[in-house]
Amino acid sequence: MMMTAATPTPAKHSATGAQPEGAIGERDAAARVREMFGNIAPRYDFLNHFLSGHMDRLWRRRVVARFQDVLQRPEARALDLCCGTGDLTIALARGGRAKVIGSDYAHPMLVRAAEKSRNYSAGGSLSENLAGYVEADALQLPYDANSFDLVTDAFGFRNLANYDRGFAEIFRVLRPGGQIGILEFNEPTGDYFGRLFRFYMKRILPRLGRIISGSKSAYSYLPASVEKFPTPDDLIAKLTAAGFANPTYELWTGGSVALYRATKP
Ligand SMILES: C[S@@+](CC[C@H](N)C(=O)[O-])C[C@H]1O[C@@H](n2cnc3c(N)ncnc32)[C@H](O)[C@@H]1O
């Protein structure tokens, strides 16, 4: 399903950036998010696959399929922001000929990403295309303007302390003609699936996440952050305000996940 139309926005989706419980200001929010992901890094992959019923693998494969026009160009450079333990970075590097960099600001997540990449890379396309991992804040990237042909972010954008600055920074590092691809959770609006999704996110997922990860807050933060995250139409408006052309989104898996795409003119 591909969409561009506007619909009214419920007030609960009005957050300008991630707001972990108790955070005071953007700097504090970013520090808390970073610490939280650092703490859950050892169990992150298992929980990701388990709590999504392995749908996360399918979603990443679809992202790779959507950006084949860029990924098949050997001279192209892609940046996978908020790469965490590197699942999308690895999929992008294996799915084409472009050079791919993964970046994240949580060191323990990058350590896992590097380990996994070493295990995968036995001489195949990954070792040729994966240009490495960089510890960096997505709101302050260590790259010159016009450096990348593709910037992706899977399930990380929602955690940024300021969404407008996130888009502005991605716009800056993209070359003219470069593409952005943001994969994020979304609250389904459908009556039946919407209720099921909210029940799972609020009642089941935080409990399982707490038991398995040992973190009290991380998997309560997840549903809260999805609830506060701007609606697809608000995100499209933000992409347009940041200067992107042709912003669109697709809803997957009953509307629980959205892929946002746009181009830097
Ligand atoms: C839910 S994980 C997603 C990881 C990975 N992309 C995936 O699909 O599994 C979110 C990641 O975003 C990172 N992150 C959040 N805010 C960030 C920021 N401002 N700069 C860099 N990384 C950030 C976190 O450290 C975490 O690794």
Side-chain angles (χ1 to χ4, degrees), residues 122-151:
S125 58
L126 179 64
S127 41
E128 281 165 37
N129 300 344
L130 185 63
Y133 292 99
V134 171
E135 194 168 326
D137 187 340
L139 297 182
Q140 220 173 346
L141 292 169
Y143 296 106
D144 291 338
N146 309 321
S147 295
F148 294 96
D149 302 280
L150 173 65
V151 175

Side-chain angles (χ1 to χ4, degrees), residues 37 44 48 60 82-84 104-106 109 136-138 154-155 159-160:
F37 281 107
Y44 178 80
N48 233 2
R60 291 189 187 91
C82 302
C83 69
D104 200 288
Y105 70 173
M109 297 290 265
D137 187 340
F155 308 112
N159 301 293
L160 301 186

Side-chain angles (χ1 to χ4, degrees), residues 30 33-34 37-38 40 44-45 48 56 60 80-89 103-107 109 136-141 153-161 183-185 222:
V33 170
R34 182 182 191 168
F37 281 107
I40 62 171
Y44 178 80
D45 281 334
N48 233 2
D56 62 315
R60 291 189 187 91
D80 182 32
L81 281 184
C82 302
C83 69
T85 58
D87 278 357
L88 181 60
T89 319
S103 98
D104 200 288
Y105 70 173
H107 185 76
M109 297 290 265
D137 187 340
L139 297 182
Q140 220 173 346
L141 292 169
D153 185 331
F155 308 112
F157 194 85
R158 177 178 33 89
N159 301 293
L160 301 186
L183 185 64
E184 256 309 343
F185 289 116
L222 198 160

Side-chain angles (χ1 to χ4, degrees), residues 14-25:
S14 59
T16 54
Q19 297 165 345
E21 214 180 307
I24 302 161

